Amino acid sequence: MEVSGLPAELWQLVLSYLRLPDLGRCSLVCRAWYELVLSLDKTRWRQLCLGCLEHRHPNWPNQPGVEPQSWREAFKQHYLASKTWTKNTQDVGSSNCLSLFRRRKGRRRLCVGTGGEFGSLRAALAAASPYDLLVLLPGVHEEQGEVLLKVPVEVVGQGKLGDVALLVSIDQHCPTARLCNVVFMPARFTSVLYKTTAGYVQFDNCRFQSGQLQIQAPGTCQVKFCTFSQSSIYLRSVALCVLENCEFSGSENASVTVEGCPSSDRNWACKHLAVLAKSCAASVWEPDLAACPMAKQGGWGELLPGPVRTCEIVVGEEESSFLSAGGAQALPGSGQEDSEFGENLQAAKEEEYPALGSNSSDSDLCSDDEEDAQAAYKLPYQDHSLSHTLAGVMDSRLQGNRLHALQRDLKLKSLQQELQQDKEAQSLATSLQGCIIRRCLFRDGKGGVLIYSRGQAKVEGSIFRDLTYAVRCIQNSKVIMLRNDIHHCKASGIFLRLSAGGLIADNNIHSNCEAGVDIRKGANPLVLCNKIHSGLRSGIVVAGNGKGIIRSNQIYGNKEAGIYILYNGNPAVSGNHIFQGLAAGVAVNENGRGQITGNVICENQWGGADIRHGGDPILRNNLISRGYSDGVVVGERGKGLIEGNAIYGNKGCGVWMTSSSLPHLINNQISHNSIYGVAVFCRKDDAGDYPPSQGGSESFQEEREGAGGENDPSSEEEYLAAQRPIGVALVELNSINHNGAAGLHVKSSEALSIIANVIHANHSGGVAVLQSSRLTRIANNSISCNSRGGVLVEAECQVELLGNGIYENRSHGIVSKGEGVVTENDIVGNHRCGLRLLQAADMKVTKNRIQSFRDYGIALLDEAKGLVQENLIFQGRSKKSILRPLSNAEDCIIQNNVLLTFKKRFDMECMLINPPARPHIGGGALGSCTAAGGQRVSSITTRVDGGCHNHGSTFCTVL
C-alpha cells in the first residue's frame, strides 16, 4: 500500500502497535516507509526503549530528565550491546557451526526458584546447555558455596529490579556469560560476588551490594546500567573493558580499581568491545568545539547552575578608568610601605616636588608666552636608542592596538583546536585501552577510580561528587579524563603522582576541598581546556618534581592560588585564563619552577603571579591585568625571569618585590597600575601584607623530603638555557608608564640594577630611591614626562646614574640627598632644576649635559658636597647655571664645566648630536656636530679662581 494513501498521523498511529521485528520489516519496504518508521522516534521507539526491563533511561544516572537525541538510536545501542556476549565463536568441544545452534529459537528456558523447574541456581547450571536462558523467579536465591560457571549461559531475573536477589559468589570458567536484572549480595563466606580470569561477562541492569567484582586478564567485562552500593570493581591487567551508565555510591575504598598494564593477551570479546566503544564515542563528542569555545559551552547541562563565567579582557581604556576606584591610595595587602613610612614619604615629596599650582614661579608655565619661549629653548632629544619604545608608549592608539593584538593572540582555544595541533593529545583522546568508563555517577563514598602499577583507564562524561577523591593515578599509570564533572570532593579532585600521566581535558572541576588537580612526584599529564573553579584550595597544584602541560584552561574563583607550583614542580603553563581567584593567580614557592607563558591572569585578589622562597619560574608573554592587588609579587628569596609581559590596570603595583629577591625583569609593559609601576621593598613575607603561603595548607611533607631528587636532564638543559645567571635583581628594557605613583620605587637593602627602561608619564616621580644601603645602578634609561621629578635619591642611599636621558619631567630632573655618581646623563627640559643636591648629599657629577628652561642647571644646597666637573650646561631663559653653597666651598669642587648659550634655533638642534641624545643602548658613535657652513662647534671653559659671582662660579665661554 502506498504511504500517501493515508494521512501521516494515521500511519503513525497504526505503526505504534507494531512489535520490534515488524517495525524492522516495514522499514525495509521502501524509502517512504523507512522515513515513516523513523518518524516514530518520540512515540513508539521511546516506548520500546523505556519498556525494556534490561535497560534504563539512556541518560541514567546523570541526566535522567534529558531526552536523548534519538530514542531509536539509543534503543539500537542497547540492543547491540546486549547481544555482545553471544558473538563468541570459539568454544571448547564445539564445531564451527555452533553459532547456528546458539541462535536457534528453540534454546531452552530454565526457570529457577519457587514454582520453577529447579530449586537452586547450582542445579540449573548443572543441567544447562551452552547459551541457555536461566530465568530467576522473584525471591531470594542463596548458595552456600562458590558456584562455578562452566557453560555460557544467560541469567535473567524476572520482574522489576529488586524482585530477584542472589546471595552467591560465582567463579566463571566459561568463555562468555550474561547476567541481567539481578540484585547481587555477598555470601556469608566471602565478599567476592563475581570473578573471572579468562572469559567475558556482561552485566545489564543489575545491583551490587556490599561486595566486589574481580576481573583478571585475559578476562574482560561489560557493565551497563548497574548500581553499586558499597561495592566495587577490581580490574587486573585487563586489556579492554567497558563500564557505562552505572552508579557507584557508599564505597569504603575506590569504587573502580585498575591495576597493571593492559595485557597483550586479549580474549575474543575485546574487538567487539572496541567497536562498541568507538560507536558510542560519537555521543561524547557531540558539541561542535570549533564553533563553540569552551568558555561558552554548556556541556554539563543542569549540573552548572547560573551563567558560565568567562574572563573578559578589557583593552584600550583610558588611564583614568584604572585609577578612578582607588587612585594611588594604599590598598590592604598591596605591598606598599606602612603608614608611618607613607606619611614620611608624602612629606618628603611635598618638600622636594611642590605642586605646579603653588606660589612658586612654576605657576606661570601655563601662559602662552611662556610656552612659546620654552619651545624656543627646547632641545630635540627624541632620537635616542629607546625612542621606538617611547613612541609606542606616547601613542595611546598604538598602545591600544598592541593590547588588542595580545587579546587576540591569547584567546582561549577549544579542545578541538588543541587536538588538531597536538598529535600526542589527539592520540590519547582516541585511545582505547584498559578500563573505559562512560556516563557513570560516583557519589557519597571514599574514592572514585584508582589506577596504579601501569594501569590505564579512560573516563568520559561521568560525575564524581561528595567523595574523598575522584581519581587517583599513580605508579606509571595513565588516565584519560574527558568531559567529566568533579565536585565537592573532600580532598583533591584528580590526584596524579609517581610518574603518572595521561590527558585531563574538557572537565568541569569545582568546589573541591583541596586542589582540583594535584600533580606530584614526577607525574606528567596533559591538562587541557578544563574549567577548574570555586575550589576551597588551589585550582592546580604541581609539587615534588611534578611536571605536566597545563594549557587552555579556565581557572577561576578558587580560594587560593589558581596554579600553585612548589618543591621543584616544573610544569609548562600556557594559554590559560586564570581569573577572579581569591588569592594569587599563579604562585611559585619553595623552589618551584615552571614555564608560565601566554596566559591571561586577571581580576585576582592577590598578585597575578606570586614568587617567593626560592621560586624560580620563567614568566613570559602573559597578560596580567585588573588585579585587586599587585600584578607580579616577588617575595622573600624569589627569583625568576619575568619577560615580555603586559602588566596593566592592577589596583596595587605593577611589580612588587623584596630586596632579597633576585628576579630578572626584562622587556615588560608595566602601565596604568594604581600605585607604583615597580616597587622594591626590604619587607619580609611575615610583615602582614601577604599571607605566608598562596597555595594552601596541603600536606607536602613527602615533597619536602624528596625536593632534592633527580630531575629530568633534558628539562634541566632547557631550563638553564632559558635562564640568565644574575647576582643582583635586574630591571631591564621595560616600559613603565602611566602608573598612579612613581614609575620605580626603591627601598632596598640589596644591590639593584635598573637598565635601559622607558619610565614615562607616571603620576609621581620617575624613579624614587628611598633606601639603598648597597649600590643601586640606574643606567641607560629614558625617564621622561613624569608628573613630578625624574629621579629622587634620599639620604644615605648609594646610587650610580649613568647614561640616562631625563627629559621634561614636571619638577626637578634629579634630586639627591645621598651618595653616588651622576655621569654622562642628558638632563634636559625638566620644569625645575636639572640636578639638585640637598642636605648631606655627596655626589660626583661629571660629563652630563644639563638644561633647565627657567631654573638652575645644577643647584647645591644645605651641606651638599662633591665634585661637579666637565658638565655641559645649556642655558635656558632664566640665564641660571650653577647654584653653590658658601658654607662648605672647600668640600664642593666645581671645575671645568661648560655653559652654552644659544643664538639661533639651529644651534639648539645640533646640541644633542655629538654624542646623540641618551640613552645609548649597545654603544653609539660619538661624532661631532657640523654646522651648515662646515664649521665645527667647539667650547673651552676655564675656571676662574678669583671667587664667585652672584653666588655661583664664574665662567668664560667661547662659542
Side-chain angles (χ1 to χ4, degrees):
M1 182 176 181
E2 291 292 333
V3 172
S4 59
L6 290 175
E9 293 79 6
L10 188 54
W11 275 121
Q12 291 174 355
L13 178 62
V14 171
L15 294 178
S16 66
Y17 289 94
L18 297 184
R19 296 176 303 144
L20 179 62
D22 297 327
L23 284 174
R25 295 186 185 99
C26 290
S27 66
L28 297 175
V29 172
C30 62
R31 177 169 295 276
W33 281 70
Y34 174 75
E35 294 176 353
L36 189 60
V37 172
L38 289 184
S39 69
L40 303 175
D41 189 79
K42 302 293 184 183
T43 55
R44 184 55 177 162
W45 289 112
R46 185 178 186 275
Q47 292 173 359
L48 289 172
C49 192
L50 296 179
C52 181
L53 294 178
E54 298 178 358
H55 304 106
R56 305 191 191 187
H57 190 284
N59 289 326
W60 183 89
N62 294 336
Q63 294 177 307
V66 178
E67 290 196 356
Q69 287 190 343
S70 171
W71 285 98
R72 176 181 170 276
E73 186 63 28
F75 184 80
K76 176 183 175 182
Q77 295 296 333
H78 290 338
Y79 181 83
L80 293 176
S82 67
K83 302 303 179 184
T84 302
W85 79 282
T86 66
K87 295 179 181 179
N88 175 39
T89 58
Q90 298 183 13
D91 195 1
V92 177
S94 64
S95 64
N96 291 333
C97 62
L98 177 62
S99 59
L100 299 176
F101 292 99
R102 72 167 180 268
R103 292 190 180 95
R104 70 188 187 277
K105 296 181 180 179
R107 69 168 180 160
R108 292 193 301 169
R109 184 176 187 271
L110 309 180
C111 294
V112 181
T114 305
E117 304 169 42
F118 299 94
S120 67
L121 177 62
R122 191 188 302 272
L125 290 173
S129 299
Y131 304 100
D132 280 348
L133 172 63
L134 277 62
V135 179
L136 301 181
L137 301 177
V140 178
H141 302 261
E142 183 176 5
E143 299 292 339
Q144 298 301 320
E146 187 177 68
V147 175
L148 299 181
L149 193 59
K150 297 181 179 180
V151 294
V153 294
E154 183 176 17
V155 180
V156 179
Q158 190 179 68
K160 297 180 180 180
L161 180 62
D163 291 346
V164 177
L166 188 59
L167 280 69
V168 67
S169 177
I170 299 176
D171 186 358
Q172 178 181 333
H173 286 249
C174 59
T176 182
R178 178 174 183 258
L179 297 98
C180 177
N181 206 40
V182 177
V183 176
F184 286 87
M185 303 177 70
R188 298 174 183 175
F189 56 89
T190 181
S191 62
V192 177
L193 302 174
Y194 196 100
K195 65 180 179 181
T196 180
T197 58
Y200 164 81
V201 60
Q202 182 171 331
F203 296 98
D204 290 314
N205 195 33
C206 293
R207 182 185 301 162
F208 300 90
Q209 295 182 357
S210 305
Q212 185 181 73
L213 301 184
Q214 292 183 357
I215 312 296
Q216 183 173 337
T220 185
C221 67
Q222 179 183 1
V223 185
K224 298 189 67 175
F225 297 98
C226 293
T227 302
F228 291 79
S229 177
Q230 297 181 337
S231 299
S232 61
I233 302 177
Y234 176 81
L235 306 166
R236 184 173 183 180
S237 300
V238 174
L240 183 63
C241 69
V242 177
L243 312 180
E244 289 185 318
N245 297 89
C246 295
E247 180 181 6
F248 298 84
S249 63
S251 63
E252 296 181 357
N253 294 295
S255 297
V256 178
T257 301
V258 182
E259 178 194 1
C261 182
S263 173
S264 58
D265 184 11
R266 297 178 169 230
N267 69 13
W268 64 270
C270 288
K271 64 178 181 179
H272 301 291
L273 290 176
V275 172
L276 265 178
K278 289 178 181 178
S279 65
C280 295
S283 62
V284 178
W285 297 93
E286 279 169 7
D288 182 6
L289 292 177
C292 183
M294 181 174 176
K296 299 181 182 179
Q297 290 176 14
W300 294 275
E302 297 176 346
L303 300 173
L304 293 179
V308 178
R309 302 168 74 182
T310 62
C311 179
E312 178 187 8
I313 306 175
V314 177
V315 297
E317 290 193 9
E318 295 294 332
E319 57 186 275
S320 59
S321 65
F322 294 116
L323 306 177
S324 58
Q329 296 180 358
L331 297 173
S334 61
Q336 67 275 22
E337 63 272 35
D338 55 29
S339 59
E340 180 181 356
F341 173 74
E343 292 173 1
N344 295 337
L345 172 61
Q346 185 64 31
K349 286 180 178 177
E350 291 174 355
E351 178 183 350
E352 298 306 326
Y353 302 114
L356 294 179
S358 65
N359 294 328
S360 69
S361 57
D362 286 337
S363 58
D364 63 356
L365 286 172
C366 297
S367 66
D368 294 337
D369 294 340
E370 193 76 8
E371 289 180 359
D372 294 339
Q374 185 169 353
Y377 284 87
K378 185 175 181 179
L379 297 179
Y381 62 85
Q382 287 79 6
D383 294 332
H384 55 74
S385 297
L386 295 176
S387 58
H388 61 286
T389 304
L390 184 60
V393 169
M394 296 175 67
D395 189 340
S396 59
R397 180 179 300 177
L398 181 58
Q399 198 169 17
N401 291 339
R402 286 177 179 173
L403 291 175
H404 280 293
L406 183 62
Q407 176 187 12
R408 182 179 63 253
D409 294 340
L410 298 182
K411 184 178 179 181
L412 201 66
K413 292 182 180 178
S414 67
L415 181 57
Q416 185 72 23
Q417 292 169 327
E418 286 287 354
L419 296 182
Q420 288 173 355
Q421 297 174 6
D422 191 332
K423 298 304 180 184
E424 180 186 359
Q426 189 179 63
S427 176
L428 287 170
T430 56
S431 65
L432 294 172
Q433 270 194 319
C435 180
I436 311 296
I437 302 172
R438 284 188 176 144
R439 298 182 295 275
C440 292
L441 172 62
F442 297 82
R443 62 177 180 87
D444 304 312
K446 181 175 181 180
V449 179
L450 170 63
I451 310 112
Y452 70 102
S453 295
R454 301 176 63 200
Q456 293 189 29
K458 185 174 185 178
V459 187
E460 299 179 73
S462 298
I463 295 176
F464 299 81
R465 61 177 173 87
D466 299 305
L467 304 165
T468 300
Y469 65 87
V471 176
R472 283 181 180 255
C473 184
I474 60 176
Q475 297 174 353
N476 295 286
S477 298
K478 184 182 295 183
V479 64
I480 298 158
M481 301 200 65
L482 302 173
R483 287 213 175 95
N484 302 283
D485 193 36
I486 301 169
H487 61 95
H488 293 96
C489 294
K490 298 179 180 64
S492 299
I494 302 173
F495 187 84
L496 300 102
R497 65 183 294 173
L498 298 173
S499 301
L503 173 66
I504 301 168
D506 215 0
N507 302 282
N508 184 30
I509 305 170
H510 65 96
S511 308
N512 299 290
C513 293
E514 299 290 342
V517 180
D518 194 316
I519 304 169
R520 310 190 193 188
K521 291 291 184 73
N524 190 19
L526 279 167
V527 184
L528 307 178
C529 302
N530 301 281
K531 282 198 254 189
I532 304 173
H533 61 100
S534 308
L536 301 183
R537 296 290 189 198
S538 301
I540 299 176
V541 167
V542 185
N545 294 310
K547 302 175 187 176
I549 296 174
I550 302 169
R551 199 165 64 224
S552 299
N553 301 281
Q554 288 186 77
I555 304 171
Y556 61 93
N558 298 288
K559 284 194 174 180
E560 291 174 358
I563 298 177
Y564 189 28
I565 305 169
L566 69 168
Y567 296 116
N568 289 323
N570 189 20
V573 181
S574 64
N576 303 281
H577 286 192
I578 306 169
F579 59 101
Q580 296 178 354
L582 301 183
V586 178
V588 186
N589 211 331
E590 303 295 346
N591 300 311
R593 288 165 28 188
Q595 298 187 37
I596 304 162
T597 60
N599 302 280
V600 175
I601 306 173
C602 64
E603 299 180 11
N604 296 286
Q605 292 289 337
W606 293 99
D610 188 286
I611 306 166
R612 61 185 75 210
H613 295 300
D616 192 8
I618 296 172
L619 189 70
R620 179 180 287 142
N621 298 336
N622 301 282
L623 175 60
I624 304 173
S625 68
R626 302 169 65 201
Y628 294 98
S629 184
D630 306 314
V632 177
V633 174
V634 187
E636 190 73 12
R637 294 184 291 108
K639 295 182 284 186
L641 174 64
I642 304 169
E643 179 182 8
N645 303 281
I647 305 170
Y648 82 95
N650 299 285
K651 291 189 177 179
C653 304
V655 178
W656 186 101
M657 56 188 185
T658 60
S659 59
S660 64
S661 61
L662 290 174
H664 185 178
L665 192 68
I666 178 171
N667 200 26
N668 301 280
Q669 301 289 329
I670 305 170
S671 62
H672 297 94
N673 300 286
S674 295
I675 311 183
Y676 308 111
V678 177
V680 185
F681 288 95
C682 297
R683 319 195 81 185
K684 305 299 183 183
D685 283 343
D686 57 0
D689 280 347
Y690 292 90
S693 171
Q694 289 288 332
S697 58
E698 293 97 342
S699 174
F700 295 112
Q701 182 61 37
E702 295 180 0
E703 281 66 28
R704 287 193 191 96
E705 295 171 355
E710 293 294 328
N711 291 315
D712 182 12
S714 61
S715 65
E716 283 289 332
E717 292 175 2
E718 295 173 1
Y719 175 77
L720 293 174
Q723 289 288 63
R724 175 178 168 183
I726 54 174
V728 297
L730 183 59
V731 181
E732 181 179 11
L733 291 170
N734 301 283
S735 175
I736 306 171
N737 62 88
H738 297 95
N739 297 287
L744 207 153
H745 177 93
V746 180
K747 185 185 178 186
S748 174
S749 59
E750 302 292 337
L752 174 66
S753 293
I754 303 167
I755 311 294
N757 302 279
V758 171
I759 303 171
H760 176 78
N762 296 285
H763 284 204
S764 184
V767 179
V769 184
L770 304 184
Q771 177 179 326
S772 179
S773 56
R774 297 182 64 181
L775 181 64
T776 296
R777 186 167 184 262
I778 305 172
N780 297 323
N781 300 279
S782 172
I783 305 171
S784 62
C785 301
N786 297 285
S787 296
R788 293 185 177 175
V791 179
L792 168 66
V793 181
E794 279 290 351
E796 300 181 358
C797 293
Q798 299 182 41
V799 297
E800 180 186 48
L801 284 153
L802 175 64
N804 301 282
I806 304 172
Y807 304 115
E808 292 193 14
N809 297 284
R810 298 299 298 273
S811 187
H812 309 290
I814 299 175
V815 174
S816 177
K817 306 173 187 176
E819 303 174 358
V821 177
V822 182
T823 301
E824 296 183 354
N825 301 279
D826 286 346
I827 310 170
V828 172
N830 300 285
H831 289 193
R832 300 196 65 186
C833 294
L835 173 63
R836 195 180 196 203
L837 306 182
L838 302 174
Q839 298 179 7
D842 187 359
M843 304 292 289
K844 181 179 180 182
V845 183
T846 61
K847 299 181 180 180
N848 301 282
R849 294 186 294 193
I850 304 173
Q851 184 226 24
S852 177
F853 169 67
R854 56 168 315 281
D855 211 329
Y856 289 97
I858 301 175
L860 295 89
L861 305 174
D862 304 327
E863 302 298 321
K865 59 184 178 179
L867 173 65
V868 180
Q869 177 178 298
E870 298 181 9
N871 299 284
L872 185 61
I873 302 174
F874 302 102
Q875 194 171 42
R877 183 180 182 184
S878 64
K879 308 300 182 183
K880 298 177 181 178
S881 54
I882 298 179
L883 175 65
R884 64 171 294 174
L886 294 176
S887 59
N888 60 338
E890 66 279 359
D891 295 327
C892 185
I893 301 174
I894 302 175
Q895 63 184 16
N896 299 333
N897 298 284
V898 176
L899 174 64
L900 294 182
T901 58
F902 305 113
K903 300 300 183 183
K904 299 179 181 179
R905 177 66 182 171
F906 177 77
D907 294 337
M908 294 183 295
E909 291 178 352
C910 60
M911 285 301 102
L912 295 183
I913 296 179
N914 182 21
R918 296 182 175 96
H920 303 153
I921 307 301
L926 301 178
S928 62
C929 176
T930 304
Q935 298 176 350
R936 181 172 178 177
V937 180
S938 61
S939 61
I940 302 172
T941 302
T942 304
R943 178 175 180 180
V944 180
D945 296 328
C948 300
H949 175 67
N950 292 334
H951 304 287
S953 300
T954 302
F955 292 88
C956 175
T957 304
V958 180
L959 294 179

